[in-house]
Amino acid sequence: MSTPFKVALAGLGTVGGGTVRLLQQQAELIEKRVGRRVELVAVSALEKPPGLDLSGIRWFKDAVAMAAESDADLVIELIGGAHGVALKVCEAAINAGKHLVTANKAMLAYHGADLAALAEAKGVALGFEASVAGGIPVIKALREGLAANRISEIHGILNGTCNYILSRMHKDEMEFGAALAEAQGLGYAEADPSTDIDGIDAAHKISILASVGFGCPVRFAPANVEGIRHVSALDMKYAELLGYRIKLLGIARRSGDVLEQRVHPALVPKGAPIANVEGVFNAVTIVGDFVDKVMLVGRGAGSAPTASAVVADVIDIASGRSASPFGVKVAVLDLVEPAPLSVRHGAYYLRLMVRDQVGVLASVAKALSDSGVSIAKVFQDERSPGEKVPVVLITHESDEAAMQKALKIVGAHPALLEPPRMIRIEQF
Ligand SMILES: NC(=O)c1ccc[n+]([C@@H]2O[C@H](COP(=O)([O-])OP(=O)(O)OC[C@H]3O[C@@H](n4cnc5c(N)ncnc54)[C@H](OP(=O)(O)O)[C@@H]3O)[C@@H](O)[C@H]2O)c1
């Protein structure tokens, strides 16, 4: 009989617990697929969680010691956090010559290239399928299934919490705060939801996808990140009237040495497939030069879907299949820096809350045109002389820098009663 492939697991929370259950429930199937038994030999967490059968599995209080000293062939890191103990666990595992699987997008966004270099130097595999879009096998699709293509663009809905909130705001005309509270009640949003709703989580993920797709080191670009706090039910209503839906998107494009990498809410045409991805689902579209567009949709988080991605990596590695983490050897990764948001070129949605009086629209139009932004459509469905009314504008394609200049001028207009609300329009 062949010896088992031994696995150690650090972190027994949502994903770690799901991974233990999956390894136990699917043991036979996994053994058939790998050709040998995959055995969980060691685990570590701060507390032993109730409801998990850990009999016969060695318990380590110290996850770093487990990574370094256990007799595992592979360590799975499911603790989380960008720079702390999770990173130490990963470095200890690789330095001890063990393969590594992690779902930790925050850590990869900062340390992905260094970990890949270390793994390469030590001759071990680094798997991180679960770090982006939960159960959707997007890393494998991008790195292996689409390996024959030059990838020009990757965009997608990468945060299920935000997509749930925006879907509730759209379908039931809820305000942002009420939809967030509901998501928290259902366990879709954390008590401190800022990493999700401020776009940071999606930005970690798009930086990983950009790296795999474009063959460059992971570069988290926090300056190009905008969340969904400012999206209102009113914007949802006008977007719908004008033929759009609002989604939080991660977008990465490479042309030559310019890497556009950003996260922000965007109006997308109602008919676009991505506009109809609702609730906690994620979707990723990849554009390749030979394949054209490929779109993957599925559950982007949660215990079971994420465990599915974690164990897929374990199965690959245990079977002796492992690609370079970012598709190419670290030495040939292209050094491209994310360009500032000001390089964006596209159309914009602008909602202005103005005092309803003669001449306001003309002077706003002049301010926009003086900045190099021209108006494609104006929409005003409420009239109330002397009172506050919304005016919605859609611009022709303009440079982001021109739009930002226009926003400063329009924002200082005396008839404006609230700061202008701008949302970028993406035509896919
Ligand atoms: N949740 C998802 O749907 C999802 C999806 C994709 C990726 N991820 C990523 O997966 C990772 C885990 O997420 P999660 O949601 O499972 O987190 P979680 O539920 O908070 O679980 C974290 C686990 O790590 C343990 N832990 C904390 N500090 C530790 C230490 N010093 N040594 C050993 N164990 C320690 C915790 O132990 P105690 O419980 O005893 O404190 C807990 O078991 C994160 O990187 C996350 O970004 C999560």
Side-chain angles (χ1 to χ4, degrees):
M1 230 171 68
S2 57
T3 51
F5 183 83
K6 294 181 190 164
V7 174
L9 168 52
L12 294 170
T14 306
V15 184
T19 300
V20 171
R21 279 187 284 272
L22 196 160
L23 285 170
Q24 290 170 343
Q25 279 175 33
Q26 312 279 56
E28 252 179 64
L29 178 80
I30 294 169
E31 182 174 351
K32 264 196 205 161
R33 293 198 167 149
V34 173
R36 62 200 271 211
R37 210 150 46 83
V38 171
E39 194 178 302
L40 188 57
V41 295
V43 290
S44 175
L46 295 181
E47 301 282 331
K48 278 194 183 172
L52 279 182
D53 178 6
L54 300 175
S55 47
I57 301 173
R58 192 170 165 202
W59 174 264
F60 279 83
K61 260 237 150 307
D62 179 347
V64 181
M66 180 187 76
E69 294 159 18
S70 71
D71 64 344
D73 301 297
L74 179 150
V75 172
I76 306 175
E77 182 281 307
L78 297 172
I79 293 173
H83 314 289
V85 66
L87 181 61
K88 289 202 175 85
V89 167
C90 294
E91 289 169 342
I94 298 173
N95 278 322
K98 298 179 172 86
H99 304 294
L100 177 74
V101 169
T102 177
N104 192 334
K105 54 248 178 178
M107 177 185 70
L108 290 165
Y110 287 99
H111 306 290
D114 291 343
L115 285 171
L118 188 60
E120 208 175 288
K122 294 286 175 183
V124 298
L126 165 60
F128 49 88
E129 183 61 71
S131 66
V132 180
I136 306 175
V138 61
I139 301 292
K140 201 171 171 72
L142 196 52
R143 186 177 55 200
E144 290 154 58
L146 300 175
N149 288 263
R150 198 171 289 277
I151 306 296
S152 56
E153 176 170 331
I154 304 163
H155 65 256
I157 295 170
L158 298 172
N159 185 275
T161 306
C162 289
N163 205 43
Y164 179 84
I165 292 170
L166 293 173
S167 299
R168 293 292 285 142
M169 290 175 71
H170 167 248
K171 280 216 166 105
D172 295 283
E173 296 174 18
M174 289 171 98
E175 275 299 351
F176 170 76
L180 169 61
E182 186 184 272
Q184 285 171 318
L186 290 167
Y188 295 150
E190 306 274 335
D192 174 3
S194 49
T195 306
D196 289 322
I197 64 175
D198 292 332
I200 306 297
D201 176 75
H204 290 153
K205 292 167 180 169
I206 196 68
S207 68
I208 295 168
L209 289 179
S211 177
V212 177
F214 306 139
C216 52
V218 194
R219 285 267 193 281
F220 175 49
N224 297 356
V225 180
E226 194 184 296
I228 61 167
R229 285 181 201 262
H230 68 276
V231 177
S232 73
L234 205 53
D235 296 317
M236 285 283 168
K237 176 185 136 183
Y238 286 115
E240 180 69 25
L241 283 169
L242 292 161
Y244 297 97
R245 299 270 157 77
I246 301 177
K247 296 290 181 190
L248 182 75
L249 297 181
I251 299 171
R253 289 194 185 106
R254 180 176 178 180
S255 72
D257 281 344
V258 180
L259 172 64
E260 246 194 278
Q261 186 179 295
R262 50 197 161 87
V263 169
H264 53 73
L267 270 70
V268 289
K270 261 189 224 179
I274 205 162
N276 297 293
V277 175
E278 302 281 11
V280 293
F281 278 72
N282 281 196
V284 185
T285 301
I286 301 159
V287 185
D289 53 357
F290 271 65
V291 74
D292 197 14
K293 275 186 192 173
V294 173
M295 182 172 170
L296 301 162
V297 183
R299 292 191 180 275
S303 180
T306 312
S308 153
V310 168
V311 178
D313 274 345
V314 174
I315 290 173
D316 262 355
I317 296 168
S319 306
R321 294 186 297 265
S322 75
S324 291
F326 296 102
V328 296
K329 294 269 184 219
V330 172
V332 294
L333 287 170
D334 290 340
L335 289 174
V336 289
E337 283 290 329
L341 198 47
S342 55
V343 305
R344 178 187 187 264
H345 185 80
Y348 296 83
Y349 160 99
L350 199 57
R351 176 172 58 80
L352 309 173
M353 300 304 291
V354 298
R355 197 182 311 286
D356 193 2
Q357 63 193 36
V358 176
V360 173
L361 202 53
S363 56
V364 166
K366 182 171 180 318
L368 287 171
S369 125
D370 287 350
S371 311
V373 177
S374 68
I375 299 172
K377 259 186 212 164
V378 180
F379 192 83
Q380 186 179 5
D381 64 344
E382 290 174 38
R383 295 301 318 268
S384 185
E387 301 293 318
K388 182 162 90 172
V389 291
V391 174
V392 172
L393 309 169
I394 300 287
T395 74
H396 287 296
E397 293 207 345
S398 321
D399 289 337
E400 175 88 14
M403 189 64 208
Q404 292 297 344
K405 185 175 162 205
L407 278 174
K408 278 204 185 107
I409 300 171
V410 172
H413 195 289
L416 223 73
L417 302 174
E418 287 179 15
R421 286 288 169 230
M422 178 275 276
I423 306 180
R424 298 171 185 88
I425 300 177
E426 296 291 337
Q427 303 285 356
F428 296 126

